[in-house]
Amino acid sequence: MNKRVSPEQIAEGIRSGNRRFIAKGITLLESLLPADKDNAEKLLELILPYTGNALRLGITGVPGVGKSTFIENFGLHAIEQGRKVAVLAIDPSSARGGGSILGDKTRMVHLATDPAAYIRPTPSGSMSGGVAFATREAIFVCEAAGFDLIIVETVGVGQSDVLVDSMTDCFMALMLPGAGDELQGIKRGIMEMGDIFVVNKADGERMQQARIAKMQIQQGVHLMSPKRTWWAAQTLLCSALEKQGIEEIYTLCMEFYCTASENNALQAKRREQALLWMESYIRNHLITAFFENENVQQHITAITADVQAHRISPMAAGRKMLSIYLTDRA
Ligand SMILES: Nc1nc2c(ncn2[C@@H]2O[C@H](COP(=O)(O)OP(=O)(O)OP(=O)(O)O)[C@@H](O)[C@H]2O)c(=O)[nH]1
Ligand SMILES: [Mg+2]
């Protein structure tokens, strides 16, 4: 981070929609350097009043389902409807072997060069609480910059679906058309989390399979207890490649938002999310502080050995370590 650029200047640059400053801002918020912490906090404070006005849409789907192709055409359609679109990603990078940025550059070529769109390259490094926090804060940066549709994409490995769900309003799952038994493999979590299901690649020879998949997903959804009282998950067909079904999906998203605000559900969900994020911030911070504590580090090897040799129970060992930490802090 260039020391000469103050958080005030970055905030101003973000507010004016300057891409260089948007990127600078997100990089600052992603930074794990202790030296950047104060500036990052200052920046957040400055932009916070300008956040909250976007639709936050989470999109998940296995690698190859067509997320990039879909987001390109969905994003361009949204822009035609007058929206400004930002695309962020939570991505356990190991799942992709680093090919994703190149892939997205070639697959989202029109969206990437559209003045009404901003695509943030996938954060590098392993997925951690830090990346998730940075993505949430990147949403704020994009909102302060005037983007009013924020898409957060993930490949749904590990906890990343849950994370995306915890920072977005509406959760969309892209699915592949397949035979019935493939559907068994659909994670229960996705079936419970999804607000909108999209069977992609509903084209050519896969059309019939796609129709069957749609029916089965819809049946599966009915078996779940509904996630929300005011919204029943719906399934639509799409060919992202042939640009079929995009408009209908966009309309359904808008319907989701209308229904949500009529029910005061959007603000309620965001309030709840904010509290959960605060809690998880505290939890993360405490755990880090604990393991970084010098006194803890001095004792942990011996106590670990004691636990492994059954000389002390794991609970008693935990209690002992906590008391070492707390005494040290006192
Ligand atoms: N037939 C057909 N092919 C599609 C469709 N959408 C995407 N594809 C193709 O599927 C492949 C993967 O598409 P991507 O958009 O890169 O998929 P992705 O989900 O972003 O993949 P990762 O970034 O690896 O997670 C590409 O070869 C696309 O051209 C579709 O609707 N129909
Ligand atoms: Mg992709």
Side-chain angles (χ1 to χ4, degrees):
M1 191 75 218
N2 189 336
K3 287 277 181 296
R4 283 168 303 172
V5 187
S6 68
E8 285 79 7
Q9 285 169 310
I10 300 177
E12 215 179 287
I14 289 171
R15 291 277 296 134
S16 70
N18 182 315
R19 273 147 211 281
R20 212 164 55 84
F21 282 95
I22 297 172
K24 241 185 205 328
I26 297 177
T27 306
L28 175 63
L29 295 169
E30 279 173 354
S31 169
L32 298 172
L33 299 176
D36 285 335
K37 215 163 146 198
D38 288 347
N39 280 348
E41 262 164 36
K42 182 74 197 162
L43 175 63
L44 265 183
E45 193 188 306
L46 289 166
I47 61 172
L48 203 63
Y50 307 104
T51 63
N53 297 321
L55 314 180
R56 302 167 182 169
L57 174 65
I59 295 188
T60 189
V62 295
V65 66
K67 292 178 297 301
S68 300
T69 315
F70 175 80
I71 291 171
E72 156 103 341
N73 290 313
F74 183 83
L76 289 171
H77 179 75
I79 289 169
E80 270 171 35
Q81 306 300 307
R83 297 223 166 251
K84 291 184 73 189
V85 181
V87 182
L88 306 167
I90 283 196
D91 194 349
S93 54
S94 57
R96 282 212 207 169
S100 66
I101 292 176
L102 199 73
D104 286 349
K105 268 195 184 147
T106 52
R107 271 174 208 132
M108 298 200 216
V109 67
H110 297 293
L111 192 62
T113 52
D114 198 298
Y118 177 77
I119 300 178
R120 173 75 179 170
T122 306
S124 57
S126 66
M127 192 168 75
S128 65
V131 172
F133 276 105
T135 306
R136 190 178 165 82
E137 289 166 355
I139 294 177
F140 291 160
V141 170
C142 294
E143 289 180 345
F147 292 96
D148 58 5
L149 174 63
I150 318 282
I151 297 174
V152 185
E153 178 200 335
T154 181
V155 287
V157 173
Q159 284 291 298
S160 63
D161 278 336
V162 177
L163 282 171
V164 170
D165 190 44
S166 75
M167 63 181 78
T168 54
D169 310 311
C170 179
F171 198 67
M172 186 190 288
L174 298 195
M175 322 281 267
L176 285 170
D181 21 316
E182 259 175 68
L183 205 73
Q184 310 271 324
I186 295 175
K187 289 180 286 175
R188 195 186 162 88
I190 289 290
M191 297 301 280
E192 283 173 342
M193 255 185 281
D195 294 303
I196 295 174
F197 293 93
V198 170
V199 182
N200 192 36
K201 307 200 182 183
D203 47 43
E205 289 172 357
R206 274 178 284 217
M207 199 59 210
Q208 186 54 21
Q209 276 194 332
R211 287 204 188 92
I212 296 170
K214 172 181 168 175
M215 218 173 58
Q216 289 176 328
I217 292 166
Q218 211 48 42
Q219 280 168 357
V221 167
H222 285 311
L223 295 176
M224 302 281 157
S225 46
K227 180 186 180 188
R228 313 174 194 276
T229 50
W230 50 271
W231 181 260
Q234 297 192 41
T235 312
L236 295 175
L237 295 179
C238 176
S239 170
L241 200 62
E242 295 178 2
K243 301 178 197 168
Q244 295 295 313
I246 302 278
E247 200 177 324
E248 202 186 348
I249 296 164
Y250 182 79
T251 307
L252 187 61
C253 284
M254 294 307 121
E255 206 180 294
F256 176 92
Y257 278 99
C258 284
T259 318
S261 35
E262 277 163 17
N263 288 275
N264 291 321
L266 208 55
Q267 292 316 319
K269 183 174 183 190
R270 288 182 177 183
R271 274 196 299 272
E272 190 188 324
Q273 286 176 332
L275 289 181
L276 288 174
W277 276 89
M278 180 184 75
E279 270 177 40
S280 98
Y281 182 87
I282 293 171
R283 204 167 291 131
N284 273 4
H285 186 84
L286 278 178
I287 290 171
T288 311
F290 174 85
F291 285 107
E292 282 176 356
N293 180 277
E294 270 180 31
N295 231 344
V296 166
Q297 286 180 353
Q298 260 172 32
H299 289 87
I300 197 116
T301 318
I303 280 201
T304 308
D306 285 346
V307 171
Q308 282 172 336
H310 297 289
R311 284 190 289 269
I312 183 170
S313 80
M315 284 70 84
R319 255 198 308 276
K320 198 166 164 185
M321 287 309 303
L322 276 176
S323 99
I324 287 172
Y325 174 70
L326 292 172
T327 316
D328 187 72
R329 303 280 306 163

Short mmCIF file of all heavy atoms in Angstrom, two decimals, residues 194-218:
data_model
loop_
_atom_site.label_atom_id
_atom_site.label_comp_id
_atom_site.label_asym_id
_atom_site.label_seq_id
_atom_site.Cartn_x
_atom_site.Cartn_y
_atom_site.Cartn_z
N GLY A 194 -30.70 -22.64 -1.09
CA GLY A 194 -31.03 -21.96 -2.34
C GLY A 194 -32.36 -21.23 -2.32
O GLY A 194 -33.35 -21.73 -1.82
N ASP A 195 -32.37 -19.99 -2.85
CA ASP A 195 -33.61 -19.26 -3.07
C ASP A 195 -34.05 -19.44 -4.52
O ASP A 195 -35.23 -19.45 -4.83
CB ASP A 195 -33.39 -17.77 -2.81
CG ASP A 195 -33.09 -17.49 -1.34
OD1 ASP A 195 -33.93 -17.87 -0.51
OD2 ASP A 195 -32.02 -16.94 -1.04
N ILE A 196 -33.05 -19.55 -5.39
CA ILE A 196 -33.31 -19.74 -6.82
C ILE A 196 -32.37 -20.82 -7.33
O ILE A 196 -31.16 -20.76 -7.08
CB ILE A 196 -33.07 -18.42 -7.60
CG1 ILE A 196 -34.08 -17.35 -7.15
CG2 ILE A 196 -33.16 -18.66 -9.10
CD1 ILE A 196 -33.83 -15.98 -7.75
N PHE A 197 -32.93 -21.83 -7.99
CA PHE A 197 -32.10 -22.87 -8.61
C PHE A 197 -32.15 -22.69 -10.12
O PHE A 197 -33.22 -22.43 -10.68
CB PHE A 197 -32.62 -24.27 -8.24
CG PHE A 197 -32.45 -24.58 -6.78
CD1 PHE A 197 -33.48 -24.32 -5.88
CD2 PHE A 197 -31.26 -25.10 -6.30
CE1 PHE A 197 -33.32 -24.59 -4.53
CE2 PHE A 197 -31.09 -25.36 -4.95
CZ PHE A 197 -32.12 -25.10 -4.06
N VAL A 198 -30.99 -22.80 -10.73
CA VAL A 198 -30.92 -22.65 -12.18
C VAL A 198 -30.27 -23.90 -12.75
O VAL A 198 -29.14 -24.24 -12.38
CB VAL A 198 -30.08 -21.41 -12.56
CG1 VAL A 198 -29.79 -21.38 -14.05
CG2 VAL A 198 -30.78 -20.13 -12.10
N VAL A 199 -31.00 -24.62 -13.59
CA VAL A 199 -30.39 -25.75 -14.28
C VAL A 199 -29.77 -25.19 -15.56
O VAL A 199 -30.46 -24.79 -16.49
CB VAL A 199 -31.42 -26.85 -14.62
CG1 VAL A 199 -30.72 -28.02 -15.31
CG2 VAL A 199 -32.13 -27.31 -13.36
N ASN A 200 -28.43 -25.10 -15.56
CA ASN A 200 -27.74 -24.52 -16.71
C ASN A 200 -27.44 -25.60 -17.76
O ASN A 200 -27.61 -26.78 -17.50
CB ASN A 200 -26.44 -23.84 -16.24
CG ASN A 200 -25.82 -22.98 -17.33
OD1 ASN A 200 -26.54 -22.34 -18.11
ND2 ASN A 200 -24.50 -22.95 -17.40
N LYS A 201 -26.99 -25.17 -18.90
CA LYS A 201 -26.69 -26.06 -20.03
C LYS A 201 -27.95 -26.77 -20.50
O LYS A 201 -27.89 -27.92 -20.96
CB LYS A 201 -25.58 -27.06 -19.68
CG LYS A 201 -24.32 -26.38 -19.14
CD LYS A 201 -23.07 -27.22 -19.23
CE LYS A 201 -21.88 -26.46 -18.63
NZ LYS A 201 -20.61 -27.17 -18.73
N ALA A 202 -29.09 -26.10 -20.33
CA ALA A 202 -30.35 -26.64 -20.86
C ALA A 202 -30.38 -26.29 -22.34
O ALA A 202 -31.06 -25.35 -22.77
CB ALA A 202 -31.54 -26.04 -20.12
N ASP A 203 -29.59 -27.01 -23.11
CA ASP A 203 -29.56 -26.78 -24.56
C ASP A 203 -29.17 -28.07 -25.26
O ASP A 203 -28.72 -29.03 -24.63
CB ASP A 203 -28.57 -25.64 -24.90
CG ASP A 203 -27.21 -25.79 -24.20
OD1 ASP A 203 -26.68 -26.92 -24.15
OD2 ASP A 203 -26.71 -24.78 -23.67
N GLY A 204 -29.37 -28.10 -26.56
CA GLY A 204 -29.00 -29.26 -27.38
C GLY A 204 -29.52 -30.57 -26.81
O GLY A 204 -30.68 -30.66 -26.39
N GLU A 205 -28.63 -31.54 -26.73
CA GLU A 205 -29.05 -32.88 -26.31
C GLU A 205 -29.42 -32.94 -24.84
O GLU A 205 -30.04 -33.90 -24.39
CB GLU A 205 -27.89 -33.86 -26.55
CG GLU A 205 -27.66 -34.15 -28.02
CD GLU A 205 -26.39 -34.96 -28.24
OE1 GLU A 205 -25.69 -35.23 -27.24
OE2 GLU A 205 -26.12 -35.29 -29.40
N ARG A 206 -29.00 -31.94 -24.09
CA ARG A 206 -29.25 -32.00 -22.64
C ARG A 206 -30.60 -31.45 -22.22
O ARG A 206 -30.94 -31.42 -21.05
CB ARG A 206 -28.14 -31.25 -21.91
CG ARG A 206 -26.95 -32.14 -21.65
CD ARG A 206 -25.86 -31.37 -20.98
NE ARG A 206 -25.21 -30.52 -21.97
CZ ARG A 206 -23.91 -30.25 -21.99
NH1 ARG A 206 -23.14 -30.75 -21.06
NH2 ARG A 206 -23.38 -29.49 -22.91
N MET A 207 -31.38 -30.97 -23.21
CA MET A 207 -32.64 -30.29 -22.89
C MET A 207 -33.57 -31.17 -22.06
O MET A 207 -34.10 -30.74 -21.03
CB MET A 207 -33.31 -29.89 -24.21
CG MET A 207 -34.34 -28.82 -24.06
SD MET A 207 -33.61 -27.32 -23.37
CE MET A 207 -35.03 -26.69 -22.52
N GLN A 208 -33.74 -32.42 -22.52
CA GLN A 208 -34.67 -33.31 -21.83
C GLN A 208 -34.19 -33.59 -20.40
O GLN A 208 -34.96 -33.54 -19.45
CB GLN A 208 -34.81 -34.61 -22.64
CG GLN A 208 -35.86 -35.56 -22.11
CD GLN A 208 -37.24 -34.90 -21.97
OE1 GLN A 208 -37.54 -33.87 -22.59
NE2 GLN A 208 -38.09 -35.47 -21.12
N GLN A 209 -32.89 -33.87 -20.30
CA GLN A 209 -32.30 -34.13 -18.97
C GLN A 209 -32.48 -32.92 -18.06
O GLN A 209 -32.72 -33.06 -16.86
CB GLN A 209 -30.80 -34.39 -19.13
CG GLN A 209 -30.48 -35.81 -19.49
CD GLN A 209 -28.98 -36.07 -19.30
OE1 GLN A 209 -28.17 -35.16 -19.41
NE2 GLN A 209 -28.64 -37.31 -19.02
N ALA A 210 -32.35 -31.75 -18.65
CA ALA A 210 -32.48 -30.52 -17.87
C ALA A 210 -33.90 -30.39 -17.32
O ALA A 210 -34.09 -30.01 -16.16
CB ALA A 210 -32.12 -29.31 -18.72
N ARG A 211 -34.87 -30.73 -18.14
CA ARG A 211 -36.27 -30.65 -17.68
C ARG A 211 -36.51 -31.61 -16.51
O ARG A 211 -37.18 -31.28 -15.54
CB ARG A 211 -37.24 -30.98 -18.82
CG ARG A 211 -37.32 -29.89 -19.85
CD ARG A 211 -38.64 -29.95 -20.62
NE ARG A 211 -38.59 -29.01 -21.72
CZ ARG A 211 -38.19 -29.31 -22.95
NH1 ARG A 211 -37.84 -30.56 -23.26
NH2 ARG A 211 -38.16 -28.39 -23.89
N ILE A 212 -35.93 -32.81 -16.64
CA ILE A 212 -36.09 -33.80 -15.55
C ILE A 212 -35.40 -33.28 -14.28
O ILE A 212 -35.96 -33.33 -13.19
CB ILE A 212 -35.50 -35.17 -15.97
CG1 ILE A 212 -36.30 -35.72 -17.16
CG2 ILE A 212 -35.50 -36.15 -14.82
CD1 ILE A 212 -35.68 -36.94 -17.82
N ALA A 213 -34.19 -32.74 -14.47
CA ALA A 213 -33.45 -32.22 -13.30
C ALA A 213 -34.25 -31.13 -12.61
O ALA A 213 -34.35 -31.10 -11.38
CB ALA A 213 -32.10 -31.69 -13.74
N LYS A 214 -34.84 -30.26 -13.41
CA LYS A 214 -35.64 -29.17 -12.84
C LYS A 214 -36.76 -29.72 -11.96
O LYS A 214 -36.98 -29.27 -10.84
CB LYS A 214 -36.22 -28.31 -13.98
CG LYS A 214 -37.21 -27.28 -13.48
CD LYS A 214 -37.80 -26.46 -14.61
CE LYS A 214 -38.99 -25.67 -14.07
NZ LYS A 214 -39.57 -24.76 -15.04
N MET A 215 -37.44 -30.73 -12.49
CA MET A 215 -38.55 -31.33 -11.76
C MET A 215 -38.06 -31.95 -10.44
O MET A 215 -38.67 -31.79 -9.40
CB MET A 215 -39.15 -32.43 -12.63
CG MET A 215 -40.64 -32.55 -12.57
SD MET A 215 -41.15 -33.74 -13.82
CE MET A 215 -40.24 -35.21 -13.35
N GLN A 216 -36.92 -32.64 -10.55
CA GLN A 216 -36.40 -33.32 -9.35
C GLN A 216 -35.91 -32.33 -8.30
O GLN A 216 -36.09 -32.55 -7.11
CB GLN A 216 -35.30 -34.29 -9.75
CG GLN A 216 -35.86 -35.48 -10.50
CD GLN A 216 -34.78 -36.40 -11.00
OE1 GLN A 216 -33.68 -35.94 -11.34
NE2 GLN A 216 -35.08 -37.69 -11.07
N ILE A 217 -35.29 -31.27 -8.76
CA ILE A 217 -34.83 -30.26 -7.80
C ILE A 217 -36.05 -29.68 -7.10
O ILE A 217 -36.08 -29.54 -5.87
CB ILE A 217 -34.02 -29.15 -8.51
CG1 ILE A 217 -32.70 -29.71 -9.02
CG2 ILE A 217 -33.79 -27.98 -7.56
CD1 ILE A 217 -31.99 -28.83 -10.01
N GLN A 218 -37.06 -29.37 -7.89
CA GLN A 218 -38.26 -28.77 -7.31
C GLN A 218 -38.90 -29.72 -6.29
O GLN A 218 -39.33 -29.29 -5.23
CB GLN A 218 -39.23 -28.41 -8.45
CG GLN A 218 -40.12 -27.21 -8.16
CD GLN A 218 -39.37 -25.98 -7.62
OE1 GLN A 218 -38.30 -25.64 -8.09
NE2 GLN A 218 -39.94 -25.33 -6.62
#
